[in-house]
Amino acid sequence: MSSNGKHPSKLNRARRHFLGAAAAAGARVAAMGLLTASIFPGSKAQAFGRNWGRHRGKDEKGACFLRGTSVLTARGTVRIEDLRPGDLVKTFSGRTMPVRWIGHRAYKRNGPTWHANIAPVRIARHSLDGRTPHSDLYLSPNHALYIDGALIEARYLVNGHSIAVVAPSAEKIEYFNILLDQHDVIFAEGVAVETFLMENGNQELFSNFAELDHLTPPLSHVTMRLFAPRPHYSGSEHVKALLQILARPFGRPHHPIADAYERFADRVI
């Protein structure tokens, strides 16, 4: 009798464990759907300020901060749209560096939804480590966070709850980025994030690109060196990563992006 009495208890525990694992897997599938949507988008948006022409594809993959983002400077936090050339921002190394230029661009929605390469990714308050971001942080999908020595784009971290693609109700959204003398890492809402990486004339992605020649002529034709490695997923690598994450109970993924995704997706906020 004693043996039979224990059996249902063990069975119930096993059943609960299985259901819990299934629920977790279901949540990961849902999150992966959102992540895939952010990587393989469908609808479009219109950029203000110029005829984008041949730059349109790159424009949709730019890395920027949404208007209202607070950046750490030598005089405290300042909203990015209020920064001016010459202001000193604090970098990851602890040094302060002068802002050379602030790129700006605006988008107008051209349909019922925002293009997934343009709709911002919201990193919820305290979702990364219990302390940061200090407030919700909104980045364009390709803007990279500096995590464990690598630059990891926000789109790869989307899990559908603490880090999610959001669809602004406004008809227009505005993005900004900061140019320093080199590609670097600064703090936005307390999070280590990249500055503008100038390469191949990509300053023309911004509506005010002509200011750069006037303000800092030597920088207008520079190709900058990456601050840190920037891992990517593509094709079969992306599919493999999704399978590894979904199969987490049977084996941990070993990739900078997958490791960061797992860490943040598992946090409860």
Side-chain angles (χ1 to χ4, degrees):
M1 282 295 290
S2 173
S3 174
N4 289 340
K6 291 180 180 178
H7 179 69
S9 177
K10 290 181 179 178
L11 187 62
N12 287 338
R13 283 198 301 270
R15 185 180 291 113
R16 285 196 301 270
H17 177 77
F18 173 78
L19 292 174
R28 286 192 175 85
V29 170
M32 288 302 97
L34 289 170
L35 174 61
T36 303
S38 74
I39 296 173
F40 304 107
S43 57
K44 295 184 178 180
Q46 176 184 355
F48 288 128
R50 70 187 293 270
N51 178 8
W52 296 100
R54 62 187 176 86
H55 292 288
R56 181 59 183 268
K58 288 195 298 181
D59 176 65
E60 292 179 350
K61 296 183 180 179
C64 298
F65 303 92
L66 195 66
R67 169 181 279 273
T69 302
S70 291
V71 174
L72 184 61
T73 75
R75 56 190 171 96
T77 57
V78 177
R79 289 190 174 187
I80 192 164
E81 65 269 24
D82 295 329
L83 287 172
R84 297 292 179 266
D87 287 346
L88 298 175
V89 294
K90 292 197 174 183
T91 65
F92 185 82
S93 68
R95 297 181 301 155
T96 57
M97 293 188 67
V99 172
R100 296 302 185 189
W101 176 69
I102 300 99
H104 167 260
R105 55 186 165 181
Y107 293 96
K108 181 179 179 181
R109 195 172 65 213
N110 239 8
T113 60
W114 284 97
H115 191 292
N117 273 349
I118 294 171
V121 173
R122 184 199 67 227
I123 302 170
R125 178 176 180 266
H126 293 176
S127 63
L128 300 185
D129 56 11
R131 301 181 305 277
T132 58
H134 302 322
S135 300
D136 288 356
L137 172 63
Y138 295 87
L139 303 172
S140 62
N142 290 68
H143 202 117
L145 290 72
Y146 184 58
I147 301 168
D148 297 334
L151 293 166
I152 298 179
E153 294 175 9
R155 61 185 175 135
Y156 291 131
L157 302 175
V158 170
N159 55 46
H161 52 99
S162 62
I163 301 176
V165 176
V166 296
S169 58
E171 292 293 315
K172 185 177 82 167
I173 58 176
E174 294 178 88
Y175 280 121
F176 298 80
N177 209 341
I178 295 171
L179 177 68
L180 304 181
D181 286 328
Q182 62 193 40
H183 189 226
D184 215 313
V185 167
I186 58 174
F187 296 94
E189 307 295 357
V191 178
V193 290
E194 68 174 332
T195 58
F196 181 51
L197 175 66
M198 181 173 286
E199 54 182 359
N200 302 321
N202 60 343
Q203 70 269 20
E204 293 187 18
L205 303 178
F206 295 95
S207 57
N208 62 331
F209 73 96
E211 294 177 0
L212 190 57
D213 285 325
H214 175 68
L215 293 170
T216 54
L219 285 176
S220 60
H221 303 291
V222 165
T223 294
M224 291 182 168
R225 181 179 178 180
L226 271 170
F227 178 85
R230 192 186 196 103
H232 286 280
Y233 283 151
S234 61
S236 61
E237 287 183 335
H238 181 237
V239 174
K240 182 179 178 182
L242 301 188
L243 293 174
Q244 285 181 317
I245 291 171
L246 290 172
R248 181 186 171 203
F250 309 101
R252 297 266 321 168
H254 294 290
H255 187 285
I257 296 174
D259 289 342
Y261 173 89
E262 283 286 291
R263 185 198 315 170
F264 303 138
D266 283 349
R267 286 192 56 80
V268 177
I269 59 170

